[in-house]
Amino acid sequence: MLAFGVSVVLNRDPVASALSLVGSFLCLAALFVGLDAFFIGVIQILVYAGAVMVLFLFIIMLLDLRAEKRRHFNRLALAGGGIVSVAFAAELIHVLAQFPMGHLPFRPLGVEKLDDVRLVGTTLFSNFNLPFQVVGVLVLVATVGVVVLSRRELK
Amino acid sequence: MNSIILNNYLLASGLLFTLGFAGVLLRRNIIIIFMCLELMLNAANLSLVAFSRFHVGADGLPNYNAQVLVFFIITVAAAEVAVGLAIIVALYRARQTTHVEDIQSLKF
């Protein structure tokens, strides 16, 4: 998964980058299934590896992007970005090493068969009913926004 | 063999987030920056699911609140991708570029 992630960042060709992202998402879905979150794993494959990445590839093909030519890099920005990222990773490892709960193993589940989809659905529609409807409105707004953006000629 | 601890997942999630972060800072192609944003969202999802599985309740089930939150994140991310790519297409039509350093004025 991390190897695919590295390849997303480093690839010069947007298509190769997008395909690595698909690989990264598939590995992530495998991790979700390994964590007994079957519903989330399936959704990850369907929505991300399916819909979102097809959209990305479609846009890349539509815009006919070629592999980036080697530009004159802004060295200061490059160094700054590298330093910030490495510092972030170092800080993260430092914090995780001190995190007491992090060293505990996962406890086994107390049930024979995990009724995953039903449980997610019950939680979603009982405890999170209002956020669910808000998300519905959000998706509607996004749809309208996309239609407006793609119809109007920007001057 | 050592059993898998929570930190393994948190570390993977954090490194994935760092990769996305580095990509946003270092790359100059707006579509790749957008993909790196997705990478960061997914890193957050991974740590949420790991905590969900880690926190086994009294009834022996994982904590499903976290998984519902992941579901919301995926929904919002999908909507965000649609809007963002529409904006990128509009930008490309106006400017014929996806290179962020070519786009420096706030107003066309």
Side-chain angles (χ1 to χ4, degrees), chain A residues 57-105:
Chain A
L57 284 173
F58 176 72
I59 296 298
I60 291 171
M61 309 272 174
L62 182 75
L63 300 186
D64 195 20
L65 298 177
R66 297 285 149 71
E68 242 177 289
K69 299 201 179 57
R70 185 173 279 283
R71 291 238 187 174
H72 178 68
F73 276 116
N74 186 347
R75 279 184 194 283
L76 196 65
L78 207 64
I83 288 170
V84 169
S85 319
V86 170
F88 183 81
E91 189 77 16
L92 181 97
I93 290 169
H94 180 67
V95 168
L96 280 184
Q98 294 175 340
F99 182 48
M101 232 162 55
H103 298 288
L104 303 175

Side-chain angles (χ1 to χ4, degrees), chain B residues 9-78:
Chain B
Y9 284 100
L10 293 185
L11 190 65
S13 156
L15 289 180
L16 196 62
F17 187 90
T18 313
L19 274 174
F21 189 50
V24 170
L25 288 177
L26 298 178
R27 294 306 303 262
R28 287 287 163 262
N29 187 335
I30 198 162
I31 289 191
I32 292 178
I33 289 180
F34 211 56
M35 288 186 210
C36 291
L37 283 180
E38 296 303 307
L39 221 51
M40 288 160 83
L41 283 169
N42 273 288
N45 282 350
L46 177 60
S47 72
L48 276 171
V49 172
F51 274 113
S52 149
R53 177 63 184 77
F54 184 72
H55 188 95
V56 177
D59 50 359
L61 292 173
N63 189 338
Y64 275 98
N65 289 351
Q67 297 199 14
V68 170
L69 184 55
V70 170
F71 175 79
F72 284 142
I73 292 178
I74 290 179
T75 319
V76 172

Side-chain angles (χ1 to χ4, degrees), chain B residues 88-105:
Chain B
I88 290 175
V89 170
L91 196 62
Y92 189 80
R93 271 204 224 131
R95 285 302 178 88
Q96 274 76 43
T97 182
T98 55
H99 204 268
V100 289
E101 282 171 355
D102 295 339
I103 306 162
Q104 291 185 328
S105 56

Side-chain angles (χ1 to χ4, degrees), chain A residues 12-80:
Chain A
R12 191 148 299 224
D13 184 6
V15 177
S17 205
L19 290 178
S20 323
L21 195 56
V22 175
S24 178
F25 285 164
L26 288 179
C27 299
L28 210 54
L31 280 187
F32 288 163
V33 171
L35 284 166
D36 294 314
F38 303 105
F39 178 66
I40 297 296
V42 170
I43 288 288
Q44 173 85 10
I45 291 181
L46 286 182
V47 174
Y48 268 117
V52 168
M53 291 324 295
V54 167
L55 204 58
F56 264 112
L57 284 173
F58 176 72
I59 296 298
I60 291 171
M61 309 272 174
L62 182 75
L63 300 186
D64 195 20
L65 298 177
R66 297 285 149 71
E68 242 177 289
K69 299 201 179 57
R70 185 173 279 283
R71 291 238 187 174
H72 178 68
F73 276 116
N74 186 347
R75 279 184 194 283
L76 196 65
L78 207 64

